[in-house]
Amino acid sequence: MADDEAKKAKQAEIDRKRAEVRKRMEEASKAKKAKKGFMTPDRKKKLRLLLRKKAAEELKKEQERKAAERRRIIEERCGKAVDLDDGSEELIKKTLEHYHERIIGLESDKVDLEQVQKEKAERIADLNSQVNDLRGKFVKPTLKKVSKYENKFAKLQKKAAEFNFRNQLKVVKKKEFTLEEEDKEPKKSEKAEWQKK
């Protein structure tokens, strides 16, 4: 019996240790779940879907708002559309005259604005040059881009080939600068005295 009691005590000790290990494992798994916090993978998926829906709705509202703003601006600038299909000839003439006057006014405004813009551009350029003069700084001219592979002396060589030095020399009359002794020399056609004999 003593052996049975010893075995039971050992078994009880082993069971107690297993229970402790299970308890620790459960606590560890609870701690891991607690570390994950509020956001579980399922909740993250749902949140992503909701955010996408919300973004799509916002985008749609923004597009509708922009379209309404565009229509409002077009109506403001061009006026409301007039239905001319059922209109009389007089209504059509009035509408055309109205648009013609409007076009003339807009074109004159455009010309005025272009003139003002040119004057301002000239004024800006003048002020920039004055500022540079006061600072003592001068605008460096932009350099011409040249290919580094291009033969740099090709133009000079071409000019040298075209420029013939012999054509540029003065033509000199031979007899003008010859010595009298050279004139006395016998011509090649004449035989020398030693050849005559």
Side-chain angles (χ1 to χ4, degrees):
M1 275 198 112
D3 281 341
D4 285 338
E5 287 182 22
K7 284 182 182 179
K8 284 182 183 179
K10 256 188 182 180
Q11 188 65 32
E13 185 69 25
I14 290 172
D15 289 341
R16 188 181 56 81
K17 285 184 179 180
R18 282 184 184 166
E20 278 183 27
V21 170
R22 279 190 198 137
K23 191 175 180 183
R24 272 193 246 136
M25 294 288 278
E26 287 176 5
E27 288 176 5
S29 66
K30 285 182 183 178
K32 283 183 183 178
K33 286 182 183 177
K35 283 183 184 177
K36 283 186 180 177
F38 181 72
M39 295 302 289
T40 61
D42 291 334
R43 286 183 176 173
K44 284 182 182 179
K45 285 180 185 177
K46 288 180 183 177
L47 183 63
R48 282 190 196 120
L49 286 173
L50 289 173
L51 287 174
R52 284 185 194 141
K53 286 180 182 177
K54 182 74 171 171
E57 288 174 6
E58 290 293 325
L59 184 64
K60 191 174 181 181
K61 286 179 183 177
E62 183 70 18
Q63 287 174 346
E64 289 174 358
R65 189 188 60 77
K66 283 183 179 179
E69 183 72 16
R70 185 172 183 267
R71 283 193 299 271
R72 187 188 63 79
I73 289 173
I74 288 173
E75 285 180 2
E76 180 182 307
R77 290 182 183 173
C78 300
K80 291 188 177 180
V82 179
D83 186 23
L84 299 176
D85 293 336
D86 299 331
S88 65
E89 189 176 326
E90 202 172 298
L91 177 66
I92 293 173
K93 282 184 182 179
K94 284 183 181 179
T95 307
L96 289 176
E97 287 173 0
H98 171 71
Y99 281 124
H100 185 263
E101 290 172 7
R102 189 176 179 113
I103 289 170
I104 290 173
L106 291 172
E107 285 294 322
S108 65
D109 291 344
K110 176 185 158 193
V111 170
D112 293 342
L113 290 173
E114 286 175 351
Q115 184 64 32
V116 168
Q117 189 267 336
K118 284 180 186 177
E119 290 172 1
K120 286 183 179 180
E122 290 173 2
R123 180 79 175 135
I124 288 170
D126 185 39
L127 290 173
N128 281 337
S129 64
Q130 287 178 4
V131 167
N132 288 333
D133 289 344
L134 290 173
R135 287 184 184 167
K137 294 181 182 178
F138 299 97
V139 177
K140 293 179 183 177
T142 55
L143 299 176
K144 182 182 174 186
K145 292 184 180 179
V146 179
S147 172
K148 63 180 178 181
Y149 302 109
E150 183 181 328
N151 186 358
K152 294 178 181 175
F153 299 106
K155 292 180 183 175
L156 292 174
Q157 290 171 351
K158 189 176 179 183
K159 284 185 182 178
E162 291 175 4
F163 188 75
N164 193 351
F165 287 105
R166 289 185 182 176
N167 293 340
Q168 299 297 324
L169 294 174
K170 284 186 177 179
V171 178
V172 179
K173 296 179 184 175
K174 290 184 179 179
K175 292 186 178 182
E176 244 182 323
F177 297 104
T178 58
L179 298 174
E180 293 174 8
E181 297 174 69
E182 292 175 359
D183 289 337
K184 292 179 184 177
E185 284 183 8
K187 294 181 181 176
K188 291 183 181 179
S189 61
E190 296 178 11
K191 291 185 177 179
E193 289 180 24
W194 59 273
Q195 288 178 342
K196 290 182 184 178
K197 293 184 185 175

